[in-house]
Amino acid sequence: MTMNRPKQKNKEAKTPAAVDMTCRIKDLVFKNPVTVASGTFGTKDEYTSCVDYEKLGAVITKTITVKPRRGNPMPRICETPSGMLNAIGLQNKGLEDFIENKIPYFAGIKTPLIVNIAGEEENDFEILVKALHAHKKVVKALEINLSCPNVEAGGVSGMKKKEKIEKIIKTVRGETDLPIVAKLSPELGDVIEIAGEVLRAGADGLSLINTLKGLAVNIRTRQPRIANVTGGLSGPAIRPVALRYVYEVKKNYQVPVIASGGILTADDAMEFIIVGADLIALGTANFVNPTATMDVLRGIETFCRNQGIMSLSQIRGTFHVPPRQSCWQ
């Protein structure tokens, strides 16, 4: 009696080739484009139970200021249609605490750390950059917050003077050779024009966009829903605005762009990559779904495989507008 031997499985089953997701700002290389928007991911290990930091393309910290800030009075967050209104007010423990207690943590993580900084006075930027440059083995780039809508000193209102923005970027540039990225908001004015100014002043890239100023009303108390009255609107409600600015800026300036503004899914991220974004920063998504960054990272890779795309560079910036047809055709 002979037995039919089961066919041997192919021990050399092919593993799908990895999609090349690398991108760069200056000489800094990121293994993939997925990162987090400042202010939505804490300053240290707050998300480690949900996110593998080693898998992120980069970590962008909450804004650091020279001195500790208590932030604005509560309530300072409320949900709005397709978005969120916040007026945290740059709450943080200050530069000294960051260097002493946060930087050592990131020294053990092989993911580039981008530190977001803001100054209440112009001199603050010089202090921040000098101190952080001394830790350049860990701090790999700086994101300059020029557009927080929720603080008076150093906030978006004070940054509407072009000369001030230019001076800040030149100061930062003069103190470090780390890549510097300027974070802009439509609240500053003409984003395209301001982008040109910060790039001429020495910025290596842009972060687009910061929140838009908004208001929500409690119709029963007839009072604002957040104590600061107005706050920064984020989430899918501002995605088309962010997408427009990334597209227009990339069309005018061939520089790296970190895109943020209502990115919740891999499809959202692909929209930004197609119009030219280099990195994709998830913000409000982290509050809705703490694993959103990991989901988007897997989703981008799956999308590329399904489309036969083996490198994001093949699809980045491929957006095109078809010729207009006459209304009579």
Side-chain angles (χ1 to χ4, degrees):
M1 182 177 169
T2 58
M3 294 179 64
N4 293 326
R5 298 178 65 183
K7 293 182 180 179
Q8 282 191 330
K9 291 183 178 179
N10 183 4
K11 293 180 180 179
E12 297 181 354
K14 287 186 177 179
T15 302
V19 176
D20 179 3
M21 307 243 272
T22 56
C23 52
R24 64 173 61 217
I25 298 177
K26 214 174 176 182
D27 295 328
L28 181 58
V29 178
F30 305 89
K31 54 183 171 286
N32 68 66
V34 179
T35 184
V36 292
S38 177
T40 66
F41 205 69
T43 51
K44 190 181 171 187
D45 57 353
E46 290 88 340
Y47 272 79
T48 48
S49 62
C50 308
V51 175
D52 183 348
Y53 284 28
E54 298 274 5
K55 289 185 177 178
L56 288 172
V59 172
I60 302 178
T61 68
K62 183 171 172 50
T63 298
I64 307 301
T65 53
V66 174
K67 297 176 183 175
R69 288 182 58 92
R70 298 182 64 179
N72 293 322
M74 296 186 183
R76 50 193 189 185
I77 289 180
C78 73
E79 187 174 351
T80 61
S82 297
M84 185 178 80
L85 205 61
N86 93 82
I88 304 298
L90 303 184
Q91 178 190 15
N92 76 99
K93 293 183 178 178
L95 176 63
E96 188 176 329
D97 176 81
F98 182 75
I99 290 174
E100 185 177 341
N101 298 314
K102 308 300 192 300
I103 283 185
Y105 174 78
F106 286 102
I109 295 175
K110 297 174 184 174
T111 295
L113 176 66
I114 301 175
V115 181
N116 182 295
I117 60 172
E120 297 179 27
E121 301 173 1
E122 291 178 18
N123 187 47
D124 287 356
F125 287 95
E126 186 176 351
I127 296 170
L128 286 159
V129 176
K130 279 184 176 177
L132 293 169
H133 180 85
H135 296 273
K136 61 186 295 185
K137 285 187 178 178
V138 180
V139 177
K140 296 301 182 185
L142 298 172
E143 184 178 64
I144 316 302
N145 187 349
L146 300 169
S147 48
C148 178
N150 303 318
V151 295
E152 293 185 9
V156 68
S157 299
M159 294 293 176
K160 289 183 178 177
K161 295 178 181 175
K162 297 173 186 175
E163 300 78 14
K164 187 170 184 177
I165 288 181
E166 183 181 356
K167 189 175 178 183
I168 289 169
I169 297 298
K170 283 183 175 177
T171 297
V172 174
R173 180 74 292 159
E175 297 295 340
T176 185
D177 58 357
L178 287 170
I180 57 175
V181 179
K183 188 160 189 175
L184 307 179
S185 161
E187 295 288 337
L188 287 168
D190 186 334
V191 170
I192 310 302
E193 183 182 346
I194 297 168
E197 289 168 359
V198 298
L199 292 170
R200 283 190 291 275
D204 299 297
L206 302 164
S207 187
L208 305 169
I209 59 173
N210 208 334
T211 56
L212 297 164
K213 212 170 197 177
L215 170 70
V217 177
N218 182 325
I219 60 171
R220 291 170 180 79
T221 64
R222 304 175 197 175
Q223 295 176 344
R225 292 178 62 192
I226 55 177
N228 197 54
V229 184
T230 60
L233 178 64
S234 61
I238 70 167
R239 190 189 308 139
V241 180
L243 200 58
R244 170 229 167 165
Y245 279 117
V246 173
Y247 165 60
E248 293 190 346
V249 162
K250 289 294 286 196
K251 196 167 63 170
N252 283 275
Y253 313 103
Q254 296 303 310
V255 294
V257 168
I258 302 175
S260 60
I263 301 168
L264 298 183
T265 68
D267 284 3
D268 301 338
M270 289 311 305
E271 282 194 78
F272 283 92
I273 290 171
I274 287 169
V275 298
D278 295 273
L279 272 75
I280 303 299
L282 276 68
T284 305
N286 295 313
F287 298 109
V288 179
N289 170 19
T291 65
T293 49
M294 298 292 97
D295 297 344
V296 167
L297 182 57
R298 283 190 294 270
I300 292 174
E301 189 163 12
T302 299
F303 175 87
C304 289
R305 286 189 199 287
N306 292 342
Q307 296 288 318
I309 297 165
M310 296 316 298
S311 170
L312 276 184
S313 61
Q314 291 177 241
I315 193 169
R316 180 176 288 115
T318 56
F319 179 72
H320 64 281
V321 180
R324 288 186 180 181
Q325 292 186 346
S326 167
C327 295
W328 300 103
Q329 290 180 328

